[in-house]
Amino acid sequence: MWAFERRADPLFGGRAAHVVSAASGTAAITAAILAVAGPATASAPLALMPSHTFIATAQAAGLCGYRPWFVDVDATSWALDPQRLRGHPRLDRAGVVVVVAPYGRLPDIEAWTAFAAETGRAVVIDAAASAEALARRADAAPDAPVGVPVAISLHATKPLACGEGGLVLWSDRDGLERAAQALNFGFLGSRSARASGFNGKMSEYHAAVGLAALDGWAERVAAAERMHARIAEAARHRGLAGCLIGHPDIASCYLLHDIGDVSDPAARTRALAELLDGCGVEHRLWYGGGVHREPVFAGSDERDALPVTEALAARLIGVPVHAPGAHSDADAARVLDALERMRPDRMERMR
Ligand SMILES: *Cc1c(COP(=O)(O)O)cnc(C)c1O
């Protein structure tokens, strides 16, 4: 575990930020919230967050006692907008703002650090799928601080995978110590629990797998870039360039088909899903219909109007993309062939 942290530290933090390891991405988000904000209080019971995310974002805040308040995302970045959030009427009741890096697209860490400083609100960034983007950032600007805690997932589906695992990345050494404390029952330097905590430690077994993943990391990054460049090229040939979103815009573990701004996206999505089913091509709405639609939050009306979230949930369909080493052009061709049959211009002609 120490060996894994020592090697992951410069990769994601450059010279300016450091990591602690965790049992999962969810454990990392939970520990980051406890470290920067502590558990919910009566005067600050809310966690402001987007609904266009994986359920773990909201569950982590819930485990710290917060009630999620869902805020709509920006139509271009698909993420919370720090400028718009400054004037949010619930901000004074929020103990924490959990920002999400959708599909690994990294939000502006500096802008969120400024938001936290100006508003006095604690901020956590759930950058579960952003290992590649964070490594690129640390490489390009090794002295750039990470002013708010950033949680990374090392789950099998994510770019740097060790089975189950996570990291908290942050420039604040004391803050990271509190995150490590939260991940270790609230213990720090003794067997006396002085803060809220749980068993969120990364196991030595997963750390060993993580070390092996780090051995192959540079090669994987290069292979993922080549793979997505080939997919993008093949998509262009099929007239799909405008509706396929891949790496490096988003993490290499995703390939998204964007239905586009059509009048009835839900109907188009259903038709595409049926067509993909017919072709034996798996597909997934990675963020479902938005977290606010999950049954666990069905009884809650603690949210803003979410038109962009609703539209994105109907528009963005995940299609299969392999890990770089396991990928063949024939696999990509099968997916693209199916998508080509649903090309918007062809659909118009079918009317
Ligand atoms: C994967 C993911 C998580 C959860 O990470 P785990 O390691 O599976 O706990 C949380 N948030 C987002 C946005 C994710 O994509």
Side-chain angles (χ1 to χ4, degrees), residues 267-268 271-272 274-275 338-351:
R268 178 71 68 82
L272 180 59
E274 273 169 32
L275 182 108
L339 294 178
E340 193 180 357
R341 290 166 57 188
M342 279 292 288
R343 233 165 60 184
D345 52 328
R346 297 191 173 192
M347 294 303 289
E348 297 308 325
R349 253 182 281 145
M350 277 161 61
R351 284 213 183 126

Side-chain angles (χ1 to χ4, degrees), residues 19 45 117 120 182 202 235 253 332:
V19 300
M202 173 179 263
C253 54

Side-chain angles (χ1 to χ4, degrees), residues 24-26 29 53-54 56-57 100 126 128 153 155 158 164-165 254 287:
S24 67
T26 307
I29 302 166
T53 180
F54 183 55
T57 313
V100 172
D126 171 359
S153 165
H155 182 252
K158 300 286 172 21
E164 294 277 7
Y254 302 108
Y287 300 154

